[in-house]
Amino acid sequence: MAEHRKYLVAGNWKMNISSSDVGRLISEINAKIANITKVDVLVCPPFTSIQAAKDAIGSIGNISLGAQNFYPEKNGPYTGEVSAIMLRELGVSYVIIGHSERRIYFNEDDDFINRKVRFALGSSLIPILCIGETIEQRRDGKEFAIIQSQLKNGLKNITVQEVEKLTIAYEPVWAIGTGETATPKTAQEMHAFIRSFLKEMFNAETANAVKILYGGSMKSDNAEELLKEDDIDGGLIGGASLKATSFCEIIEIANLLSA
Ligand code: PGA
C-alpha cells in the first residue's frame, strides 16, 4: 500500500456532551491517546461545551477543537448565530460544513454551504465539507452525479491554495446513525471518484493532498477495513465518538495502520 496521508480521526458530538460532561470525556481520551503520535485527533463539541473542552485539553492535550456550525458573516444582527472569529477566539481550528443533518433539518443548500466554505477559509478555519447521497439517490444510480454536484457547487470560487487547506468527508446519508456502514469497496470507490474529480477541478498534486474522511456508522469493528483503503484518510465519527473507549479504539487502529 502506498503511504497514506496522515489520518484524521474526528468526533462529531452533535447535540450531545454538555459542558459538565466534557471534562471527563476529554481527560479519558487524553489518557488513552498519550502515546499516539501519527494521527490527528479532533473533537467537535456543541458550542456551549467548547470552552470546557478547551480547558480540559489545556496545554498538554494533543487534540484539536472543531465546531459543528457557524454563520458566514463577521458579526451583526443574526440572532442565535455564532461567528468564525468567536470560534477562533476559543481555539477552534476546524468547522464542519454541509453535514446532511444541516442540509435536511436547516435547509442549507449548496450555495449557502459554498458561502460558509469560503468564509471559513477566509477566517483561517479548516472546513470539513460533508457530502453524501441518500439511499433513494443511490438506488436510482445517481450517487456519483450527486457527489459531483455537491463538490462542484460546494467548492465554487475556491482557489487551488485554499482547497489544499480543506478536508472533505464522504458521508452517505443512509449510513449516518443507522448502524449500516458503506462497505470498504463502496466507500473506496466514492473516495477515489471524489479525488479524481478534485484533480479535474484543480490538479493532481492538490487532489492528492486533500484528506477525504469517511463518515457513517464507523466504529472500531469496521474502522480497520475502511481506513486501509487508499483514499480513506480518516473518519468523521458520530455515535462511536461519544465514549472514550470506542473513539480511541478507532484512533489506535489509524495509528497502527500508520506504523
Ligand atoms: P455516525 O455519524 O457515526 O453516528 O453515523 C457520523 C456523522 O454524522 O458525522
Side-chain angles (χ1 to χ4, degrees), residues 51-228:
Q51 181 65 53
K54 184 184 178 210
D55 295 344
I57 294 167
S59 53
I60 48 153
N62 200 13
I63 304 175
S64 300
L65 263 181
Q68 301 171 21
N69 189 32
F70 77 110
Y71 192 74
E73 287 292 340
K74 271 202 184 112
N75 58 275
Y78 304 100
T79 302
E81 295 298 323
V82 167
S83 77
I85 298 158
M86 293 167 185
L87 295 174
R88 294 278 317 156
E89 255 176 34
L90 291 182
V92 166
S93 44
Y94 287 81
V95 65
I96 299 172
I97 300 178
H99 192 283
S100 59
E101 285 152 15
R102 295 214 61 89
R103 293 180 192 256
I104 296 165
Y105 304 131
F106 303 98
N107 300 319
E108 295 195 7
D109 62 13
D110 280 337
D111 280 348
F112 185 59
I113 288 162
N114 176 249
R115 229 176 101 195
K116 288 172 94 171
V117 169
R118 286 187 285 133
F119 204 97
L121 287 165
S123 311
S124 304
L125 286 176
I126 303 171
I128 301 180
L129 172 62
C130 302
I131 52 179
E133 81 286 356
T134 62
I135 192 64
E136 292 79 17
Q137 290 163 338
R138 181 166 277 271
R139 276 198 203 115
D140 291 347
K142 293 190 185 133
E143 66 272 30
F144 294 103
I146 293 292
I147 292 301
Q148 179 164 328
S149 102
Q150 288 179 349
L151 262 183
K152 198 170 156 213
N153 294 322
L155 298 178
K156 210 166 15 183
N157 296 326
I158 284 169
T159 65
V160 178
Q161 290 74 21
E162 284 175 327
V163 84
E164 277 172 6
K165 297 188 194 124
L166 168 140
T167 294
I168 287 174
Y170 169 58
E171 298 208 306
V173 180
W174 45 272
I176 295 179
T178 59
E180 192 183 336
T181 322
T183 62
K185 186 171 168 283
T186 304
Q188 166 59 27
E189 187 182 36
M190 189 57 87
H191 282 234
F193 174 78
I194 293 168
R195 209 176 294 289
S196 70
F197 190 66
L198 289 176
K199 185 174 159 191
E200 217 176 278
M201 271 185 95
F202 301 95
N203 59 52
E205 204 188 323
T206 305
N208 206 37
V210 171
K211 280 185 198 178
I212 309 175
L213 313 182
Y214 169 80
S217 301
M218 191 190 263
K219 357 182 193 7
S220 48
D221 57 6
N222 57 33
E224 182 175 355
E225 294 308 311
L226 287 160
L227 293 173
K228 263 188 188 163

